[in-house]
Amino acid sequence: LKIFCGNANRELAQEIADYLGISMGVANVKTFMDGEINIGIDESVRGADVFVVQPTCAPTNDSIMELLILIDALRRASAYRITAVVPYYGYARQERKTKAREPITAKLMANLITTAGADRLVAMDLHAPAIQGFFDIPVDHLPGVPILAEYFMEKKLEDICVVSPDIGGVGRARNFAERIGASLAIVDKRRPEPNVSKIMHVIGDLQGKIAVLIDDITDTGGTITQAAAVLMEKGAKEVYACCTHPVLSGPAIGILEKSVIKEFVVTNTIPLTPEKKIDKIKVLSVA
Ligand code: R5P
């Protein structure tokens, strides 16, 4: 068994290798001056069961190309089986046409990963679980909820209400609420345009409760911080939030810092750059 990675999340790949008690495979990932990526696999992989750990997070398109080129190199070097471990699957939010002449980029990604030579995919909390069906190779789809739930169980908070920040996340929130023995509430969010969210209603009783918001992705931070403010207005005592994938782009860190959210718990599917490591953010490992 061998583990390789590109530049997207070296820390996570190393943690997985440490957990397994093996050393990381040696792949030299270089970028030429014109932006092209060149990868050299500096050890034999002939007949090996190879895992490539590479979330397709920012810089998204470079991470994707590194993943594809790594898989191609490993296939041409006669690896026996190649598993693409893509903890965060970029473009997962473009999984269907919402209007005429739109691409379905999540499917294009699946085609590219398969064509490059992956035999299997491991992903976490795909924004749309149906993306599993975009692949004709086996897909292991792992949830972040057990890791997040364990953390909140250990905090021993009392009278928790788990809140889904939108209708699409209700299944995840219900699973989380059942695991930690909490009640459930739902925020009715609309998205009038990309990166803009608007809260319409809150369904459920928040009075005097500790609210814990759970989402798959936090990108600009708009969804989770707006929901948190509304939950306080609805009588919540405190608001915690958690998500699997901390994309945290644009204004996210600034608005999270200013928000009413007491603690924001995320996983390390996407690494946090130093400026994103603020006191409020707690990172749990999926390794
Ligand atoms: C949307 O359906 C997702 O589950 C997240 O709620 C969304 O991607 C979060 O985006 P933002 O942080 O930019 O509001």
Side-chain angles (χ1 to χ4, degrees):
L1 188 155
K2 287 180 186 277
I3 298 181
F4 287 89
C5 69
N7 289 319
N9 198 342
R10 288 192 173 273
E11 301 87 339
L12 176 59
Q14 185 64 57
E15 263 191 69
I16 295 171
D18 292 347
Y19 181 84
L20 294 170
I22 60 175
S23 40
M24 282 292 300
V26 187
N28 237 319
V29 183
K30 285 187 242 146
T31 306
F32 292 121
M33 282 179 83
D34 65 353
E36 284 188 6
I37 295 163
N38 174 262
I39 294 181
I41 306 286
D42 288 349
E43 64 183 78
S44 170
V45 292
R46 188 173 296 276
D49 191 7
V50 180
F51 291 75
V52 182
V53 180
Q54 175 86 342
T56 47
C57 55
T60 308
N61 300 333
D62 284 346
S63 298
I64 291 167
M65 279 312 289
E66 284 182 12
L67 172 68
L68 299 175
I69 296 170
L70 270 165
I71 295 171
D72 184 72
L74 292 162
R75 183 171 56 90
R76 291 175 193 280
S78 305
Y80 157 70
R81 183 176 75 156
I82 301 168
T83 301
V85 181
V86 186
Y88 172 70
Y89 186 97
Y91 288 107
R93 288 172 287 178
Q94 296 185 42
E95 89 292 7
R96 69 200 146 102
K97 291 174 72 164
T98 53
K99 56 179 194 288
R101 297 177 295 280
E102 273 191 339
I104 303 183
T105 314
K107 168 62 177 153
L108 173 63
M109 284 285 302
N111 292 351
L112 291 170
I113 292 169
T114 311
T115 308
D119 297 296
R120 192 173 192 101
L121 177 85
V122 177
M124 287 196 69
D125 280 328
L126 288 164
H127 176 65
I131 292 172
Q132 292 167 83
F134 292 1
F135 288 83
D136 287 329
I137 54 173
V139 174
D140 296 298
H141 185 213
L142 311 178
V145 161
I147 295 166
L148 297 168
E150 196 183 328
Y151 178 77
F152 278 96
M153 288 292 278
E154 280 167 10
K155 282 184 92 72
K156 300 202 185 315
L157 301 172
E158 279 183 6
D159 211 3
I160 302 179
C161 181
V162 168
V163 186
S164 173
D166 54 32
I167 306 292
V170 174
R172 179 183 311 107
R174 187 180 298 122
N175 179 355
F176 183 57
E178 279 167 7
R179 281 172 186 265
I180 66 173
S183 59
L184 182 67
I186 301 161
V187 173
D188 177 19
K189 173 190 93 172
R190 303 283 153 87
R191 216 179 249 298
E193 54 186 280
N195 289 336
V196 177
S197 51
K198 192 166 173 222
I199 291 174
M200 314 300 283
H201 309 100
V202 177
I203 306 155
D205 179 19
L206 270 304
Q207 198 58 48
K209 307 245 182 183
I210 296 182
V212 181
L213 280 154
I214 181 164
D215 209 345
D216 58 338
I217 299 170
T218 296
D219 187 348
T220 63
T223 299
I224 215 97
T225 54
Q226 282 180 34
V230 172
L231 298 180
M232 291 299 276
E233 282 167 22
K234 298 283 177 192
K237 212 160 56 181
E238 290 178 335
V239 182
Y240 290 79
C242 60
C243 78
T244 308
H245 306 300
V247 173
L248 303 181
S249 61
I253 291 295
I255 61 174
L256 271 167
E257 259 182 327
K258 282 192 220 124
S259 76
V260 296
I261 295 171
K262 191 161 179 202
E263 184 179 31
F264 183 46
V265 184
V266 303
T267 82
N268 62 348
T269 57
I270 300 174
L272 296 188
T273 49
E275 68 281 6
K276 292 183 183 171
K277 292 183 180 161
I278 58 170
D279 289 347
K280 236 185 215 194
I281 300 185
K282 166 81 185 167
V283 182
L284 307 177
S285 179
V286 297

